[in-house]
């Protein structure tokens, strides 16, 4: 018969294993859903399991769990002091509001607070259920099986990579099954728990099998999948049901497509490689542009004229002399282009070179298309090289454009049924700016500072009486690149700024350790997942300039923030005279010697006991100073960093200040998670403090680091945001 103490320990081990398995259900939520702060739920689960394992009375455990539940809600949603009168009032208001939604079956309107409350109650109930099945019944197999099914489904149908999670679940599951079988064997044979030495002889082989299986399974070479990826298969066989290229709602397959008449609806990922690229840096790969927005999607008002060339592409992007050009090249090698039958190229493309004889290129300066032709038929080459004159767009010259219009009417077109509130929003966003560039930047940055979300699956499709842009701007605020880019074009045109819709691919993923090309430039793998759309704005003294409004993406084009070229010549002859430093008088020869002698005499006049006392006091004082410096090091460093940031408006100082801010936040417990973007982390920090200062500061930081924008204009605002955040952290 198994003794009570041994049985309790086995129950605790099994119950602890069930908690670890349940955590494997929580970890993926951060990636595959909109659930944030999963670490908070992990701590609540640990609290519930620990309290259940104590086997204390129900009337003791339940109030503690309930307080833990309330504290989690407090940390996530409430600003007043915990359980204060104002806090209780807000809590009760939320309960009443959501109960009203429940009574009317208005499930969509349930607030995040109430959804989180229901989720916490579910975790509470699961802690009881798993205690019964693992610690009491000792029947762990079903939950282990469900955990494997859950992880494999997520790995197959979402972007979550469950490789490591499955290994962890395997180790935990086999360990639990081994302990459960040991307990079952001891009870069946009516045996006592063996001595530790005997027990280790039983457990050692189990640990050896688990360790060996894990290492072999992880390190062994993996065969390619026998069956194709089910997601693309389902897409390809579901034509007519909302899948594939073309107008209509439903889930679509990501990748390049011709038909953009009906935008909207979610899509699933497809990591099929379209092409490999060798490029001087991160580049957007352009395919074509469209000019007419219908309220539902994009079409062309004119197809343009194709000109047959032997490879010249200069007509695609004619830039003025104000644009600085740098000679370079890029190489493309197609792998699986799918529906793509046009060349991809980057900004500044001057000519395309291909080794195949008799290949020509039909170039359309209006639509931006480059179609390769062999003997009158379209034939995409396997590989080609592009000669580049990479542009650096002059910001100050673009700011000189203050008037509207100055472009073909096709790039100012808007549908007749466009809701008036879209136009009012565009005017509101740009009201503080007097030139075309700053207005375009204000619209570009509007999405990243107003709680818009990048979403690829749960994306709305406008009804017959709804406008695609209006729905995104005012109702859903969730979508992918087509939503963001189309909305920016419409907002620009609403304030008479000519713009058009561009599509192609982002830069892809940089390869390491592979040599697809023989050159020395970075190499990238571009997949269907990198299909993308963005915005081009016309500046009459420059040309078409790309802008990137999509949240989470950065404009890879180069911008020159120096002075206007017309003004640079005027300052070449202006030099400021440096004042001469006055020469300080030298001390007289006898004076220094007299001071040294007097100091030496004063030193010898102190007795030895007094010297030891002073030395001891100095050591204690030094130790105290060191202790205070260590204890207050963040405060001291904040003063020094703040002073530097206040006096210097350069990238290095801003970077040092921002990194110090991350360190201070980490000391407070707000740690930047692995794989988490700075914008996601900033949102977490803002939710903690109850304001949006960290997101604003991060926006400036990304613009300075990734876009090479000078911070002179925003220096005071950057310092104010940084100083406020540091003060709140150290308060």
């Amino acid at each position: 018969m198994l003794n009570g103490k041994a049985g309790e320990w086995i129950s605790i081990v099994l119950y602890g294993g069930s908690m670890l398995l349940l955590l494997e259900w929580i970890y993926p939520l951060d990636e595959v859903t909109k659930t944030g702060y999963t670490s908070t739920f992990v701590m609540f689960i640990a609290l519930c399991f620990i309290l259940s394992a104590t086997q204390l009375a129900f009337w003791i455990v339940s109030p503690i769990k309930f307080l833990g539940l309330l504290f989690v809600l407090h940390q996530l949603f409430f600003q007043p002091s915990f359980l204060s009168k104002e806090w209780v009032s807000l809590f009760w208001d939320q309960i009443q509001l959501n109960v009203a939604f429940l009574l009317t079956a208005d499930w969509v309107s349930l607030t995040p607070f109430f959804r989180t409350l229901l989720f916490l109650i579910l975790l509470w109930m699961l802690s009881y259920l798993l205690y019964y099945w693992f610690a009491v019944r000792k029947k762990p197999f079903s939950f282990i099986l469900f955990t494997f099914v859950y992880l494999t489904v997520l790995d197959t149908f979402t972007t979550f990579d469950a490789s490591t999670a499955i290994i962890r679940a395997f180790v935990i599951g086999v360990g639990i099954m081994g302990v459960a079988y040991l307990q079952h064997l001891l009870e069946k044979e009516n045996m006592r728990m063996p001595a530790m030495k005997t027990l280790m002889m039983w457990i050692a082989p189990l640990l050896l099998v688990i360790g060996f299986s894990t290492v072999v399974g992880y390190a062994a070479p993996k065969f390619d999948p026998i069956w194709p990826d089910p997601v693309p298969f389902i897409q390809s066989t579901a034509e007519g049901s909302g899948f594939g290229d073309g107008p209509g709602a439903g889930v679509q397959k990501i990748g390049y497509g011709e038909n953009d008449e009906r935008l909207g609806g979610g899509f699933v990922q497809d990591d099929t490689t379209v092409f490999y690229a060798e490029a001087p840096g991160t580049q957007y790969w352009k395919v074509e542009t469209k000019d007419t927005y219908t309220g539902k999607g994009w079409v062309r008002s004119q197809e343009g004229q194709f000109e047959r060339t032997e490879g010249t592409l200069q007509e695609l992007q004619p830039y003025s002399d104000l644009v600085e050009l740098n000679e370079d090249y890029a190489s493309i090698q197609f792998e699986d282009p799918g529906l793509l039958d046009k060349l991809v190229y980057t900004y500044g493309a001057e000519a395309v070179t291909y080794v195949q004889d008799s290949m020509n290129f039909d170039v359309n300066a209006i639509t931006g298309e480059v179609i390769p032709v062999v003997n009158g038929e379209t034939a995409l080459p396997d590989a080609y090289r592009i000669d580049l004159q990479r542009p650096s767009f002059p910001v100050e010259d673009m700011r000189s454009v203050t008037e509207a219009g100055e472009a073909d009417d096709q790039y100012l077109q808007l549908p007749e049924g466009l809701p008036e509130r879209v136009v009012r929003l565009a005017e509101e966003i740009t009201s503080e700016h007097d030139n075309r560039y700053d207005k375009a930047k204000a619209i570009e940055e509007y999405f990243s500072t107003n709680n818009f979300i990048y979403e690829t699956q749960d994306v709305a499709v406008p009804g017959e009486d709804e406008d695609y842009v209006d729905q995104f701007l005012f109702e859903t605020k969730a979508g992918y690149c087509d939503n963001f880019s189309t909305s920016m074009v419409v907002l620009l045109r609403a304030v008479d700024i000519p713009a058009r819709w561009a599509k192609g691919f982002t830069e892809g993923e940089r390869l390491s350790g592979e040599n697809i090309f023989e050159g020395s430039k970075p190499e990238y793998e571009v997949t269907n997942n990198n299909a993308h759309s963005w915005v081009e704005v016309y500046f009459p003294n420059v040309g078409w300039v790309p802008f990137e409004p999509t949240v989470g993406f950065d404009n890879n084009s180069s911008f020159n923030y120096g002075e206007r070229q017309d003004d640079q010549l005027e300052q070449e002859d202006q030099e400021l005279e440096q004042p001469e430093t006055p020469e300080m008088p030298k001390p007289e020869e006898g004076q220094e010697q007299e001071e040294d002698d007097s100091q030496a005499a004063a030193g010898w006049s102190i007795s030895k006991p007094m010297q030891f006392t002073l030395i001891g006091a100095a050591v204690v004082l030094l130790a105290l100073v060191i202790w205070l410096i260590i204890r207050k090091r963040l405060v001291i460093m904040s003063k020094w960093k703040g002073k530097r940031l206040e006096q210097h408006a350069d990238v290095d100082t801003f970077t040092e200040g921002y990194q110090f801010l991350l360190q201070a936040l980490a000391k407070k417990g707000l740690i930047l998670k692995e794989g988490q973007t700075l914008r996601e982390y900033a949102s977490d920090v803002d939710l903690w403090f109850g304001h949006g200062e960290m997101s604003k500061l991060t926006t400036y930081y990304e613009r300075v680091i990734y876009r090479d924008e000078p911070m002179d204009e925003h220096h005071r605002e950057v310092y104010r945001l940084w100083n406020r955040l540091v003060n709140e952290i150290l308060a």
Side-chain angles (χ1 to χ4, degrees), residues 163-210:
S163 303
T164 305
I166 289 176
I167 292 175
R168 289 197 304 263
F170 169 79
V171 173
I172 297 168
V174 174
I176 290 174
M177 292 295 293
V179 173
Y181 182 73
L182 170 62
Q183 188 270 347
H184 174 73
L185 184 64
L186 293 175
E187 286 190 347
K188 182 179 180 181
E189 300 297 332
N190 197 22
M191 298 169 58
R192 287 184 172 273
M193 177 68 74
M196 181 58 67
K197 184 177 180 180
T198 306
L199 184 62
M200 289 305 300
M201 292 178 63
W202 172 278
I203 295 178
L206 175 63
L207 297 177
L208 183 62
V209 169
I210 294 174

Side-chain angles (χ1 to χ4, degrees), residues 641 644-645 649-658 704-705 711:
K641 296 286 186 183
R644 280 178 52 81
L645 188 59
D650 59 88
V651 177
D652 292 338
T653 304
F654 188 16
T655 301
E656 292 176 6
Y658 192 90
V704 169
I705 297 300
M711 59 178 293

Side-chain angles (χ1 to χ4, degrees), residues 91-160:
F91 180 86
W92 180 243
D93 290 342
Q94 283 286 333
I95 295 295
Q96 288 181 311
L97 175 65
N98 286 278
V99 168
F101 290 146
L102 289 176
L103 294 178
T104 58
D106 188 5
W107 318 115
V108 178
S109 298
L110 293 176
T111 64
F113 160 84
F114 196 72
R115 296 172 190 266
T116 304
L117 173 62
L118 295 178
F119 185 59
L120 292 172
I121 293 174
L122 172 64
L123 296 177
W124 186 344
M125 296 300 102
L126 279 174
S127 68
Y128 279 116
L129 180 63
L130 292 177
Y131 180 80
Y132 175 76
W133 280 105
F134 279 73
V136 179
R137 292 292 306 276
K138 298 178 176 61
K139 301 287 186 181
F141 179 75
S142 298
F143 189 66
I144 294 173
L145 178 62
F146 289 148
T147 302
F148 276 103
V149 172
Y150 169 76
L151 293 174
T152 52
V153 168
L154 289 184
D155 186 77
T156 302
F157 292 99
T158 72
T159 58
F160 178 68

Side-chain angles (χ1 to χ4, degrees), residues 156 255 327 334 455 459 463 630 634 673 704:
T156 302
E327 186 174 349
F334 282 110
E455 173 64 55
V459 180
I630 295 174
L634 286 180
K673 303 173 186 175
V704 169

